[in-house]
Amino acid sequence: MKRWGDLSQEAVDFLSASAVLDHAEMAVVVTDRFSNLLYWNPFAEKLFGRQGKGSVREGSVLSLGIMEKDHPLAVELAKHVLKGGVWEGTFDVKRGDGTMIYVRAQAVPLRHDSGSVTGIVITAREAMRSNEREKDRFGLLERIGERLAGSLYVEETLKRVAEMLVPQFADHCFIELMEGERLVRRVSQHVQGWTPPPDTWKPVGSEIRYPAGHYADTAMRRQETILVEDFASSNFPSPHEGSARLCGEIGMTSAVVAPLCVRGETLGLMYLGLSNLTDRRSPHYDAFDRDFVGAIATRVALAVDNALLFEEERHTAESFQKHLLPRALPALDGLDIAVRYYPAAPLASHGQGIQTQVGGDWYDVIPLSAGRVGIVIGDVEGRGAKAAAIMGQLRAALRAFAQDDKPPADILARLDEWTRIIATPEQDESGADISVPPIVTCQYLVYDAWSRQLSFANAGHAPPLLLHDGQCLEMSIEEVGQPLGVRAKGMHADLVYKEETRTLPPGAALVLYTDGLVDRRPGRDFGGRMPSDEETLGILQEKLAACTKENVERIADTATRAVPGEIDDDMAILVLRASPVDLDVEERTFPAQPIMVGEARRMAAEAFSGWNVPDERAELACLLVSEVVTNVVLHAATASIPRRELVVEGPPLPFEESWDVPGFEEELVSDKEFTLRLRRGEESVWVEVFDQDLRLPRIRSAGENDEGGRGLYLVDQLAKRWGSRPTREGKAVWFEIPTRSR
């Protein structure tokens, strides 16, 4: 064979390099040292789906359509070849028309006459479409395995399989999985631009029944890959008439059906077919293709099995998480609330293996006394079942502590002690306790919709965002305490957690969230780098500021989507909006004298009448007002005045006069006062009685001949809810009466 320089001038002109490359059935691409494209031949244009003449053009080798996940591989290729090496491998390439193919490429250095490397010459062809199929087989199987290993979800796994095989290896791809005793179609992928007409091939979600003797039925029964090399020379029963008609119309030529088997169980099957919809060199599969599809099916079955196992574990974990979080939010007066909880993506890419998505983020809304509401959001460090279990214990404990109606700082102090109690017991070699409590950030707030007063204490949690008048700002917090479980020994929790009070403007909204909302995996928006906390918080505030007038559901959705990037940790969001109008309330202070019982009852009757409370409900509420106020007056006497039992002779007095007993008030005169506060809600009225006595009331058993001891029993039996709580000046006794008949 002669060298180019040995040819005559006429032959050289006829056999120019460009003329030879124009006819080559292989893509040839030339780049400079900086991977800028210098040349590609016509076959390269066809292979990569790019338009243009085979001449100098702008762009880098990455513009040929190499998938983004293979960019690092392309960079390493260039470095290796520019050092004088030779590289060979397979790339995923997305063509100009959107289809994806696998390209087998070889890269060699382009050398100057002096011997220095001036660029790279790449020769490429579509994998499995040449005479070197045996060599391509291992490379392509490796790439398929890599793509399948990156998926933990059944639907995503099946989608990846179909994208790999159509149109690279097949014109049609069906994947069906067993659901109990039914075979259900999960994927129906075809060459781009074509879809099966209605009433022909069954769509996704349909049950598939292959008749006895059908090659797919044979593959399932025998658990082996079946090849139909040429439909023209074969005869099989068809699933139904429409299927047979369509196969004839599109000219089905060949098919391979492989069962998806793992651990001795058949999960389903994978069907690949060729037809006249595409122009291929060989319109028929052969034995080599059958073996190759069988090898792919084995990998697909393992991937599907892993995905099914993971989804089962995920479903179990998420069910566990959902049962630990509130099932439904209570209806609250003067407050609209929306919540969101999103688990994080799996941690497979973090080098920690496949882990469940649940974590320790939680929220809660707790109805308190007289229409007040406790609001909590917290985050247990870590993730997985352990974090979720700790979260469940803390949420249950906080709900119990909250019922005492103590200030938020006291609640966090008790929760801090509980966090230390639930630490996993551990001991060192000497037997000393070295238990490490979980680290928990938490914020507990108490909101009174009638006064718009918000009291809160913070244990290392991110401040809420306040939305009002088109602005979104962090709510100022002067005292941010230590996270639960980490305060220094010897320092009492009361010194760590401080209560603060704010007044919410009418119509203002608060957004409480855990750090998963702003801590995202880096995306393209930040150039692949990890954004700072200030950047992500700024983006969140900017997006929320634009929707301050929206309802709480829209605000919650906006917050969820505001920060770009994939969720890296589970996140909880709680949005609440204060009522734009004032709620009905009546309040008056009385001397703690028996004569004031009637006055208090009269005030209540007038208020209930003005609020259009049904007479039956109003009378019941007035009765209980009398009982509670009487109890307060009886205990308001000073200790130096002896108490006497009240004995009323004669027939029972009418209800309106029963408390105006001559002489009774003279024996119990006191300089103390009580305050009666009435509140009206959408479904209930609340009554609160405040006094300076620190003793909390309790129900006691009254004997048959006792004159007293039954007041609180009546309250307990007739009110929907009742209770008492300590205040700075004494205590408050309250009860709730529904405004609608039971």
Side-chain angles (χ1 to χ4, degrees), residues 134-368:
E134 194 66 38
K135 183 187 295 185
D136 291 340
R137 179 177 185 178
F138 300 104
L140 188 55
L141 280 176
E142 181 182 358
R143 301 294 291 172
I144 291 174
E146 289 176 359
R147 294 204 70 195
L148 290 176
S151 173
L152 292 172
Y153 301 96
V154 174
E155 296 300 330
E156 183 180 354
T157 299
L158 299 181
K159 181 181 178 181
R160 289 188 177 190
V161 172
E163 289 176 348
M164 286 186 292
L165 297 175
V166 177
Q168 175 97 2
F169 192 73
D171 297 333
H172 312 278
C173 174
F174 299 111
I175 301 179
E176 289 129 15
L177 297 182
M178 297 298 301
E179 296 182 3
E181 299 296 325
R182 303 166 62 241
L183 185 65
V184 178
R185 181 156 291 169
R186 302 290 290 273
V187 169
S188 179
Q189 183 86 7
H190 309 276
V191 287
Q192 190 173 11
W194 186 87
T195 55
D199 300 324
T200 54
W201 287 340
K202 293 291 184 69
V204 172
S206 302
E207 181 180 1
I208 307 300
R209 296 181 180 180
Y210 292 107
H214 193 277
Y215 49 93
D217 178 69
T218 303
M220 291 279 286
R221 286 188 293 102
R222 296 182 181 177
Q223 291 191 345
E224 64 179 47
T225 305
I226 301 297
L227 165 68
V228 181
E229 190 168 348
D230 189 356
F231 278 112
S233 59
S234 306
N235 186 19
F236 297 97
S238 177
H240 54 85
E241 182 179 348
S243 174
R245 184 178 66 254
L246 181 61
C247 288
E249 292 176 357
I250 64 175
M252 287 291 293
T253 57
S254 187
V256 178
V257 181
L260 304 177
C261 300
V262 63
R263 295 182 284 109
E265 180 182 358
T266 302
L267 302 179
L269 60 84
M270 180 173 66
Y271 182 112
L272 302 179
L274 296 175
S275 69
N276 292 332
L277 293 177
T278 57
D279 183 17
R280 300 177 183 268
R281 290 186 178 182
S282 174
H284 302 281
Y285 291 124
D286 57 20
F288 177 85
D289 295 321
R290 177 195 60 202
D291 296 340
F292 179 66
V293 171
I296 293 176
T298 299
R299 287 160 174 77
V300 171
L302 288 172
V304 170
D305 187 51
N306 287 335
L308 289 171
L309 291 174
F310 176 76
E311 288 198 356
E312 182 179 354
E313 179 184 359
R314 172 191 171 210
H315 176 73
T316 301
E318 288 188 350
S319 298
F320 175 51
Q321 178 87 9
K322 289 178 180 178
H323 281 79
L324 291 176
L325 292 173
R327 296 284 190 89
L329 297 178
L332 301 168
D333 289 298
L335 204 59
D336 292 331
I337 295 182
V339 295
R340 298 288 187 274
Y341 174 80
Y342 294 94
L347 287 178
S349 59
H350 290 200
Q352 303 178 40
I354 300 174
Q355 295 189 12
T356 56
Q357 301 167 299
V358 298
D361 291 14
W362 94 93
Y363 59 83
D364 208 349
V365 178
I366 309 167
L368 300 177

Side-chain angles (χ1 to χ4, degrees), residues 256-567:
V256 178
V257 181
L260 304 177
C261 300
V262 63
R263 295 182 284 109
E265 180 182 358
T266 302
L267 302 179
L269 60 84
M270 180 173 66
Y271 182 112
L272 302 179
L274 296 175
S275 69
N276 292 332
L277 293 177
T278 57
D279 183 17
R280 300 177 183 268
R281 290 186 178 182
S282 174
H284 302 281
Y285 291 124
D286 57 20
F288 177 85
D289 295 321
R290 177 195 60 202
D291 296 340
F292 179 66
V293 171
I296 293 176
T298 299
R299 287 160 174 77
V300 171
L302 288 172
V304 170
D305 187 51
N306 287 335
L308 289 171
L309 291 174
F310 176 76
E311 288 198 356
E312 182 179 354
E313 179 184 359
R314 172 191 171 210
H315 176 73
T316 301
E318 288 188 350
S319 298
F320 175 51
Q321 178 87 9
K322 289 178 180 178
H323 281 79
L324 291 176
L325 292 173
R327 296 284 190 89
L329 297 178
L332 301 168
D333 289 298
L335 204 59
D336 292 331
I337 295 182
V339 295
R340 298 288 187 274
Y341 174 80
Y342 294 94
L347 287 178
S349 59
H350 290 200
Q352 303 178 40
I354 300 174
Q355 295 189 12
T356 56
Q357 301 167 299
V358 298
D361 291 14
W362 94 93
Y363 59 83
D364 208 349
V365 178
I366 309 167
L368 300 177
S369 62
R372 297 155 63 247
V373 57
I375 302 163
V376 62
I377 192 161
D379 185 359
V380 179
E381 184 183 46
R383 65 190 298 175
K386 180 179 179 181
I390 293 173
M391 176 270 287
Q393 295 180 70
L394 291 177
R395 175 176 174 256
L398 190 143
R399 288 187 71 92
F401 298 155
Q403 299 308 314
D404 290 343
D405 259 332
K406 290 188 176 181
D410 293 350
I411 299 296
L412 287 189
R414 295 188 64 183
L415 198 62
D416 177 73
E417 295 293 342
W418 182 253
T419 303
R420 297 170 183 276
I421 292 174
I422 64 176
T424 304
E426 295 185 23
Q427 294 180 339
D428 59 14
E429 296 179 356
S430 62
D433 182 21
I434 57 171
S435 302
V436 179
I439 299 176
V440 183
T441 64
C442 181
Q443 185 159 239
Y444 180 64
L445 311 92
V446 175
Y447 181 65
D448 187 330
W450 283 263
S451 65
R452 302 188 184 278
Q453 190 175 78
L454 182 72
S455 303
F456 60 89
N458 189 294
H461 202 81
L465 300 177
L466 177 63
L467 281 65
H468 186 58
D469 286 342
Q471 291 184 317
C472 176
L473 303 173
E474 275 193 324
M475 192 170 70
S476 62
I477 299 179
E478 297 177 2
E479 298 285 346
V480 177
Q482 297 282 351
L484 304 177
V486 300
R487 65 179 169 84
K489 291 185 177 180
M491 179 179 289
H492 196 271
D494 291 343
L495 303 177
V496 178
Y497 307 113
K498 303 296 183 181
E499 180 180 351
E500 299 181 46
T501 302
R502 302 285 186 276
T503 300
L504 288 186
L510 278 183
V511 178
L512 292 82
Y513 61 93
T514 58
D515 56 7
L517 177 61
V518 292
D519 293 343
R520 301 292 183 99
R521 297 181 188 175
R524 296 180 180 178
D525 302 73
F526 301 102
R529 65 178 176 84
M530 183 65 72
S532 65
D533 294 342
E534 291 75 14
E535 286 179 308
T536 54
L537 181 59
I539 292 174
L540 177 62
Q541 289 179 279
E542 180 183 355
K543 296 292 181 63
L544 290 178
C547 64
T548 56
K549 301 296 184 182
E550 302 287 348
N551 60 44
V552 290
E553 295 292 340
R554 291 289 298 276
I555 293 175
D557 291 337
T558 301
T560 302
R561 300 188 300 265
V563 181
E566 187 179 359
I567 298 175

Side-chain angles (χ1 to χ4, degrees), residues 634-643 667-672 693 695:
L634 285 173
H635 293 85
T638 59
S640 59
I641 299 178
R643 295 179 57 190
E667 292 189 292
L668 297 177
V669 172
S670 170
D671 59 352
K672 295 185 179 181
D693 194 339
R695 296 169 296 176

Side-chain angles (χ1 to χ4, degrees), residues 94-105:
K94 189 173 184 179
R95 305 178 63 191
D97 60 2
T99 59
M100 196 199 78
I101 62 172
Y102 291 90
V103 171
R104 186 74 175 176

Side-chain angles (χ1 to χ4, degrees), residues 638-661:
T638 59
S640 59
I641 299 178
R643 295 179 57 190
R644 295 172 51 187
E645 291 185 1
L646 174 64
V647 179
V648 181
E649 298 181 355
L653 297 176
F655 177 76
E656 291 77 13
E657 302 175 4
S658 60
W659 302 102
D660 302 331
V661 182

